[in-house]
Amino acid sequence: MDSTQISRFSLFIAVFSCILAFSFGDNSSSTDAHWLLRIKSKLVDPTGVLESWSLRAHICSWNGLTCSHDEAFVIALNLSASTLSGSIPTELWNLVSLQTLDLSLNLITGSIPPEIGRLRNLRTLLLFANNLSGKIPTEIGLLKKLQVLRIGDNMLAAQIPPSIGNLTELRVLGLAYCQLNGSIPAEIGNLKNLVFLDLQHNSLSGFIPAEIHNCEELQNFAASNNMLDGEIPASIGKLKSLQILNLANNSLSGSIPPEISGLSNLQYLNLLGNRLNGEIPWELNHLVQLQKLDLSSNNLSGTINLLNIHLQNLQVVVFSNNALTGSIPSNFCLKNSNLEQLFLAQNKLSGGFPLGLLNCSSLQQLDLSNNNLEGELPPTIDKLEKLTDLLLNNNSFNGSLPPEIGNMSNLENLYLFDNMITGSIPVEIGKLQSLSTIYLYDNQMSGSIPMELTNCASLTAIDFFGNHFSGSIPETIGKLKNLVLLQLRQNDLSGPIPPSLGYCKKLQQLALADNKLSGSLPATFRFLSQLSTITLYNNSFEGPLPDSLYSLRNLKIINFSHNKFSGTILPLTGSNSLTALDLTNNSFSGSIPSMLAISTNLGRLRLANNLLNGSIPSELGRLKELIFLDLSFNNLTGEVPSQLSTCQKLQHLLLDDNHFTGKMPSWLGSLQDLGELHLSSNNFQGQVPAELGNCSRLLKLSLHTNNLSGQIPHEIGQLTSLNVLNLQRNNLSGSIPPTIQQCKKLYELRLSENLLSGPIPSEIGKLTELQVILDLSRNLLSGEIPSSLGDLLKLERLNLSFNRLGGELPSSLGQLTSLVMLNLSNNHLRGQLPFTFSGFPPTSFSGNDKLCGPPLTSCMDSAGHESSILSSTAVVCIIVAIVFTSTVICFVMIYIMLRMWCNMRKVLISNSSEGAGNGIEQIKREDQESWMYGDEKKRKGEYWRVMSSMALVPSQNHDDHISSSCIFQVKMDTKKLGL
């Protein structure tokens, strides 16, 4: 390009620039317009607040903009509360002349860009109440002219940058309601001009920097709801300009520094919810400008030593939830006091009602609840004529209510519950036209409820629970058109419910339980359209329910149990809001209405102890929120519908004492939240479903008194949370599964009156929590009692009777010192009883003939008895042996003597045949001598010699003589005798 062309191009640029300058005016404002239009394009503007931003209008007329006096620069951009969204546009940092930037109260997201440090002329930066995140950029410390910085109520995190201490012109610093952490930087003390410091509702921790005392202009310091700890620095007392100090809800400890009394301009001091201890410093009496003082929820002790004589501007004092003792000073209040609120609840104050408070004529709210105050309420209590709230509950006040309380015409809330107040309600109470709430529950009041109470037209809540009020409910109760709560439970009220109660159309909660009320429900109940809770249990109401109850569509909780209601329960099925229905112990009859299924939020359905019949409606399976179902003690029949398996939130299922039949449902195992299952006293048959082992949260399982058979499933051991297992009075057989040892939380086990056989598993000894009973009686169990049962040290009742157990009783059972009942009768046990069993009656061991020891016969006596039985037997045996032996010997001797006699006769016959006649006589003489002297001859040995010589004498004709000479006519064979 030659020089001529270059010259022409330069001229073109110059002319074009002039045209632009002429078209847009000043060059700076036109540049700002360029960037602002870029900014507009980046922001989402649903309400059109940026519609005026257009080249058709002068920039200084654009919405939210402020220009300099010469309209050369944009110095302020205010788009607050414009519902703008999007991130902060980067083009914003090109507006270097900006002094004020306000994007607060929008929906801006993203982070604060570090380029913000380029806006060196900024004096006010307002970004609060957006959705900004990330950290506060360190570059913010470059804005040396900044006076107001409010970027709170965002999601900013991380630490407060120390560079913020460079903003020495800063007067307002608002960082509240973010997620800032770390400690308060000590550089905060560099902000000499700081007036307002708001750090509350963050996660700041660490100490309050002592350097804060350098902020001498500080008037408002709020750092509540953080995690600050350590002591309150004494140097804080140097902030002479401070008017508001809010350090509530941190973890500050130590005592309140007396130096705080140097804050001579302090009007608001809030230290609640910390860990401060020690006494309230007397020096606080120097804070003469103080209007509100809150030291509640700390660990302060000692007496109250603040005096209104010094703190005449004090309006609010809150010392609740500490450990203050003693009484309130009598000169606590002056007659011209400005004190309006005094809260001293939950301390350890003692003495009577503080009469000094009666001088606080300006007092509007007085809370002395939860202390140790006693005595009677003073009759001069009506001096507190401006009082709207009187809270004296949870003390030990006694005596009766003074009638003068009726003069407190501004009284709105009267809380006197949990005292020892006696007497009746004074009729003067009816003058309190502003009274909204009266809580007198848990006292000892008596008498009737005065009809004058119904003149308190502003009453919204009456709670007289737990007294001794008698008589009837006032007939004029219907005058209380604003009544929302009527709680008269646990008194001695009688008579019917007055029909006028139905005109309390705003009534939401009605509790008349535990009284002596009678009669039927009034038909006017149909007007109680807002009623949500009604409890009438433990009265004597009777008759059928009025059909008008069907129209009460907002009812959530109904408890009519333990009355005499009859008829059907159909009138109570009109509300689809029901969450709890309890009609137990009445005389309701008919079937269970399937319309109950419209109450899809029903969590508790209790219809036990009535006369209901028919089957369980399958529609109840729609009650997905059902937790408690009690239909026990009725006349229900049929099988349990499988649709109930869809009630997966069921925790309590009680169907006992009905006439249900069929097999026990296996789908019960799918109810994972089931904690209590009672199916006892029905006609169920078949086996115990093994699927019950899946109900891992089951605490009570009662299947007794049915026709169940088969074995106890091993899966029962999976019920590791089980406390009670009752399978008695069935036809169960087989052995007790050893897996039962896994039910380590069992404290009651009943398996009696079945057909169980085999030994008692030793694993039962591992159920060391068994306490109430172990009952295995009336089965076919055999073998020995396992010694491991001695480990059941908590057991109170043990019944093993009527089995076939044998062997010796284990000595380890003597360790069961907690037993109060024991029955081992009718088995085959033997051996000695442990000494610890001596206190049980003998019937506990009857039918075991071989057991001994107290309370049975002594084991030594038993052994002696056995010994004597053996001795008698031995004697008999010996006698029999002796007699038998003697008899044998006698027969042998007789036989020998006969042989001898016969031999002698043969010798005599032989001698006579030889003619020795003298021999016969000789023999006769010898016979005579042998009768006379036979013993002597035998002793001399002659007998055998004579016999020998005779045996050698030959015999003649011996056959004939032998035959005729034997005395017993025995025929002797001479060949056998060797003769």
Side-chain angles (χ1 to χ4, degrees):
M1 183 180 294
D2 57 18
S3 60
T4 304
Q5 290 176 325
I6 294 173
S7 299
R8 288 176 180 176
F9 182 75
S10 301
L11 178 62
F12 173 77
I13 294 298
V15 172
F16 184 73
S17 299
C18 290
I19 293 172
L20 286 176
F22 178 79
S23 300
F24 293 103
D26 184 86
N27 185 54
S28 298
S29 61
S30 64
T31 304
D32 287 350
H34 169 75
W35 295 121
L36 286 168
L37 289 176
R38 295 284 300 272
I39 290 170
K40 176 183 176 180
S41 67
K42 296 292 182 66
L43 293 173
V44 178
D45 179 19
T47 58
V49 295
L50 303 180
E51 285 183 2
S52 62
W53 290 20
S54 170
L55 293 178
R56 292 190 297 270
H58 192 277
I59 186 173
C60 295
S61 66
W62 291 4
N63 182 39
L65 297 186
T66 302
C67 294
S68 58
H69 291 298
D70 58 2
E71 297 186 350
F73 305 99
V74 175
I75 61 173
L77 175 58
N78 184 352
L79 297 176
S80 176
S82 299
T83 65
L84 298 173
S85 60
S87 58
I88 299 176
T90 56
E91 291 80 2
L92 192 60
W93 317 127
N94 294 302
L95 304 176
V96 294
S97 299
L98 275 181
Q99 298 177 17
T100 299
L101 175 58
D102 187 356
L103 298 178
S104 63
L105 298 163
N106 280 291
L107 303 172
I108 296 174
T109 57
S111 61
I112 301 174
E115 290 82 0
I116 198 169
R118 292 166 56 182
L119 302 179
R120 302 294 178 89
N121 290 306
L122 266 185
R123 288 172 172 79
T124 301
L125 176 58
L126 305 176
L127 300 177
F128 65 88
N130 278 286
N131 295 320
L132 296 170
S133 57
K135 64 180 182 178
I136 301 173
T138 304
E139 289 79 3
I140 208 164
L142 300 175
L143 307 178
K144 299 293 184 66
K145 295 181 181 180
L146 204 60
Q147 297 178 8
V148 178
L149 175 59
R150 294 185 62 191
I151 56 177
D153 199 5
N154 279 288
M155 294 184 288
L156 298 171
Q159 298 184 358
I160 300 172
S163 62
I164 213 163
N166 299 331
L167 308 178
T168 54
E169 298 296 321
L170 202 62
R171 295 178 58 82
V172 175
L173 176 58
L175 304 177
Y177 294 94
C178 288
Q179 301 170 14
L180 300 172
N181 53 44
S183 58
I184 301 173
E187 289 79 2
I188 210 87
N190 299 336
L191 307 180
K192 307 287 186 181
N193 296 304
L194 198 62
V195 174
F196 182 94
L197 176 58
D198 190 358
L199 305 176
Q200 59 189 338
H201 287 276
N202 279 287
S203 299
L204 298 172
S205 58
F207 297 169
I208 299 173
E211 292 81 357
I212 200 168
H213 77 272
N214 294 324
C215 304
E216 296 177 353
E217 301 295 324
L218 196 61
Q219 297 179 13
N220 187 332
F221 178 29
S224 62
N225 295 91
N226 280 285
M227 296 183 289
L228 300 173
D229 53 23
E231 297 185 355
I232 300 173
S235 60
I236 208 167
K238 296 179 181 180
L239 300 174
K240 303 295 183 182
S241 300
L242 200 62
Q243 297 177 11
I244 296 175
L245 177 58
N246 186 356
L247 302 176
N249 295 318
N250 281 284
S251 298
L252 299 171
S253 57
S255 58
I256 300 173
E259 291 81 359
I260 211 167
S261 62
L263 305 176
S264 55
N265 289 302
L266 197 64
Q267 299 176 15
Y268 179 93
L269 175 58
N270 191 347
L271 302 178
L272 81 87
N274 281 284
R275 300 175 183 174
L276 300 171
N277 52 40
E279 297 187 358
I280 299 173
W282 186 91
E283 288 80 0
L284 292 186
N285 284 300
H286 295 155
L287 302 176
V288 294
Q289 301 297 323
L290 199 62
Q291 297 176 12
K292 297 182 179 180
L293 174 61
D294 192 344
L295 306 179
S296 60
S297 298
N298 279 285
N299 298 316
L300 300 173
S301 56
T303 59
I304 298 173
N305 50 21
L306 295 184
L307 301 176
N308 191 235
I309 191 172
H310 302 293
L311 304 174
Q312 297 184 15
N313 292 309
L314 205 57
Q315 298 175 10
V316 179
V317 175
V318 187
F319 291 167
S320 301
N321 198 19
N322 278 287
L324 300 174
T325 56
S327 58
I328 299 172
S330 58
N331 55 351
F332 182 79
C333 264
L334 296 176
K335 290 188 177 180
N336 58 349
S337 166
N338 292 312
L339 192 63
E340 297 177 354
Q341 298 175 324
L342 178 59
F343 300 100
L344 304 177
Q346 290 184 311
N347 279 285
K348 299 178 181 179
L349 300 175
S350 57
F353 183 91
L355 299 178
L357 293 183
L358 299 179
N359 294 325
C360 302
S361 56
S362 59
L363 203 59
Q364 297 177 15
Q365 294 177 306
L366 175 61
D367 186 356
L368 302 178
S369 62
N370 289 278
N371 279 286
N372 299 320
L373 300 173
E374 57 188 5
E376 298 186 4
L377 299 181
T380 54
I381 196 170
D382 57 347
K383 287 185 177 181
L384 302 175
E385 55 187 22
K386 294 184 179 180
L387 203 64
T388 60
D389 300 286
L390 178 59
L391 289 78
L392 303 178
N393 52 282
N394 295 91
N395 279 287
S396 298
F397 289 115
N398 52 39
S400 58
L401 285 181
E404 290 80 3
I405 206 168
N407 299 328
M408 304 172 71
S409 57
N410 292 302
L411 197 62
E412 297 177 6
N413 298 296
L414 178 60
Y415 292 2
L416 298 177
F417 60 88
D418 203 359
N419 278 286
M420 295 185 288
I421 297 174
T422 58
S424 59
I425 300 173
V427 295
E428 289 80 2
I429 204 87
K431 296 191 293 182
L432 302 178
Q433 294 298 306
S434 299
L435 192 63
S436 173
T437 304
I438 179 169
Y439 286 173
L440 303 179
Y441 62 85
D442 283 328
N443 276 287
Q444 300 173 18
M445 302 187 72
S446 57
S448 61
I449 299 173
M451 190 171 296
E452 288 78 3
L453 182 66
T454 62
N455 295 330
C456 302
S458 299
L459 268 176
T460 61
I462 297 175
D463 193 340
F464 294 166
F465 165 84
N467 280 283
H468 305 291
F469 291 117
S470 57
S472 59
I473 300 172
E475 290 288 339
T476 55
I477 192 76
K479 293 167 62 177
L480 301 177
K481 305 297 185 183
N482 296 304
L483 198 61
V484 175
L485 167 67
L486 179 59
Q487 170 63 274
L488 303 178
R489 183 186 155 213
Q490 225 172 86
N491 280 284
D492 296 318
L493 298 171
S494 58
I497 297 175
S500 69
L501 183 62
Y503 301 116
C504 300
K505 295 183 180 181
K506 294 183 179 180
L507 195 63
Q508 296 179 18
Q509 298 182 55
L510 175 61
L512 305 178
D514 294 306
N515 277 287
K516 300 175 182 178
L517 298 169
S518 58
S520 58
L521 301 186
T524 53
F525 265 31
R526 67 182 182 275
F527 301 127
L528 301 177
S529 59
Q530 297 186 34
L531 195 64
S532 64
T533 301
I534 178 169
T535 57
L536 305 179
Y537 58 88
N538 286 337
N539 279 287
S540 298
F541 293 113
E542 58 189 4
L545 299 176
D547 293 337
S548 58
L549 291 180
Y550 188 81
S551 62
L552 303 182
R553 304 291 175 145
N554 291 312
L555 275 174
K556 294 181 179 179
I557 299 175
I558 301 175
N559 193 336
F560 289 177
S561 63
H562 295 85
N563 278 285
K564 301 176 183 178
F565 288 115
S566 58
T568 69
I569 63 176
L570 194 63
L572 297 177
T573 61
S575 173
N576 56 8
S577 302
L578 268 182
T579 60
L581 176 60
D582 191 343
L583 305 179
T584 57
N585 286 91
N586 279 283
S587 298
F588 289 109
S589 57
S591 60
I592 300 172
S594 59
M595 288 186 63
L596 281 172
I598 69 170
S599 302
T600 54
N601 292 316
L602 194 61
R604 297 172 66 87
L605 178 58
R606 305 192 65 179
L607 305 178
N609 289 91
N610 280 286
L611 305 173
L612 300 173
N613 53 39
S615 59
I616 299 175
S618 60
E619 290 82 358
L620 294 189
R622 301 177 194 166
L623 303 177
K624 308 299 184 186
E625 301 298 318
L626 200 61
I627 295 174
F628 202 122
L629 178 59
D630 185 359
L631 305 178
S632 59
F633 292 93
N634 279 287
N635 298 316
L636 300 172
T637 57
E639 297 187 0
V640 181
S642 60
Q643 288 82 356
L644 287 183
S645 63
T646 61
C647 302
Q648 286 294 303
K649 294 185 179 181
L650 261 181
Q651 298 177 13
H652 305 268
L653 180 58
L654 287 74
L655 304 179
D656 49 299
D657 290 273
N658 279 285
H659 306 293
F660 292 116
T661 56
K663 292 184 177 181
M664 194 160 288
S666 59
W667 52 258
L668 290 170
S670 67
L671 303 178
Q672 298 295 307
D673 291 335
L674 200 62
E676 185 178 16
L677 179 60
H678 287 262
L679 302 180
S680 55
S681 297
N682 280 288
N683 296 316
F684 289 113
Q685 57 188 0
Q687 296 184 339
V688 178
E691 290 82 359
L692 285 178
N694 298 326
C695 302
S696 57
R697 298 182 181 178
L698 203 60
L699 300 176
K700 294 182 180 180
L701 177 58
S702 180
L703 308 179
H704 72 81
T705 319
N706 278 288
N707 296 318
L708 300 174
S709 58
Q711 296 186 344
I712 300 174
H714 287 269
E715 288 80 1
I716 208 81
Q718 297 171 206
L719 304 178
T720 54
S721 298
L722 202 62
N723 296 147
V724 176
L725 177 59
N726 190 342
L727 303 178
Q728 63 187 12
R729 299 193 190 98
N730 279 288
N731 298 314
L732 299 172
S733 58
S735 59
I736 300 172
T739 55
I740 203 169
Q741 66 175 310
Q742 297 166 216
C743 305
K744 295 188 182 299
K745 295 183 180 179
L746 268 179
Y747 60 78
E748 181 176 342
L749 177 57
R750 299 175 187 264
L751 303 178
S752 62
E753 298 184 59
N754 280 287
L755 303 172
L756 299 173
S757 59
I760 299 174
S762 61
E763 289 83 358
I764 284 185
K766 296 181 180 180
L767 303 177
T768 54
E769 294 300 316
L770 271 178
Q771 179 176 353
V772 177
I773 193 170
L774 171 58
D775 190 354
L776 306 179
S777 63
R778 297 184 184 274
N779 279 288
L780 304 174
L781 299 172
S782 58
E784 296 184 351
I785 297 175
S787 61
S788 61
L789 293 191
D791 297 329
L792 307 179
L793 301 180
K794 297 180 181 179
L795 195 61
E796 296 176 354
R797 293 172 177 83
L798 175 61
N799 192 348
L800 304 179
S801 63
F802 290 95
N803 277 289
R804 299 174 179 177
L805 301 171
E808 292 192 0
L809 205 62
S811 60
S812 60
L813 294 187
Q815 300 171 186
L816 304 180
T817 55
S818 297
L819 282 179
V820 295
M821 189 279 284
L822 175 65
N823 193 348
L824 304 178
S825 63
N826 296 286
N827 280 288
H828 307 298
L829 301 170
R830 55 185 171 82
Q832 184 171 359
L833 293 173
F835 177 76
T836 51
F837 287 1
S838 60
F840 294 106
T843 53
S844 296
F845 313 103
S846 61
N848 295 281
D849 295 334
K850 295 184 179 181
L851 286 178
C852 62
L856 304 178
T857 57
S858 169
C859 290
M860 292 186 63
D861 294 341
S862 179
H865 179 63
E866 290 181 6
S867 176
S868 73
I869 292 174
L870 290 173
S871 298
S872 300
T873 303
V875 169
V876 170
C877 291
I878 291 171
I879 291 173
V880 170
I882 291 172
V883 171
F884 178 76
T885 305
S886 302
T887 303
V888 171
I889 292 173
C890 287
F891 277 113
V892 170
M893 290 296 293
I894 292 172
Y895 175 71
I896 293 173
M897 290 177 66
L898 286 174
R899 289 184 61 185
M900 290 173 59
W901 179 263
C902 290
N903 288 335
M904 288 174 62
R905 295 290 295 176
K906 286 191 286 184
V907 171
L908 292 175
I909 293 169
S910 176
N911 290 335
S912 63
S913 65
E914 293 177 356
N918 293 330
I920 294 173
E921 292 183 7
Q922 176 71 26
I923 291 171
K924 288 181 178 179
R925 282 196 299 270
E926 288 177 356
D927 284 342
Q928 291 175 355
E929 288 177 0
S930 70
W931 282 103
M932 297 176 63
Y933 307 106
D935 289 345
E936 185 179 349
K937 289 180 179 180
K938 289 176 185 177
R939 284 193 294 270
K940 291 181 179 180
E942 294 177 358
Y943 174 79
W944 290 109
R945 285 198 296 271
V946 170
M947 290 298 295
S948 298
S949 61
M950 289 181 178
L952 296 176
V953 177
S955 174
Q956 296 178 355
N957 301 323
H958 54 277
D959 290 338
D960 295 333
H961 291 287
I962 291 173
S963 177
S964 61
S965 62
C966 285
I967 298 173
F968 298 105
Q969 300 295 314
V970 178
K971 184 177 180 179
M972 305 300 293
D973 189 346
T974 54
K975 292 181 179 179
K976 289 182 180 181
L977 294 174
L979 299 175

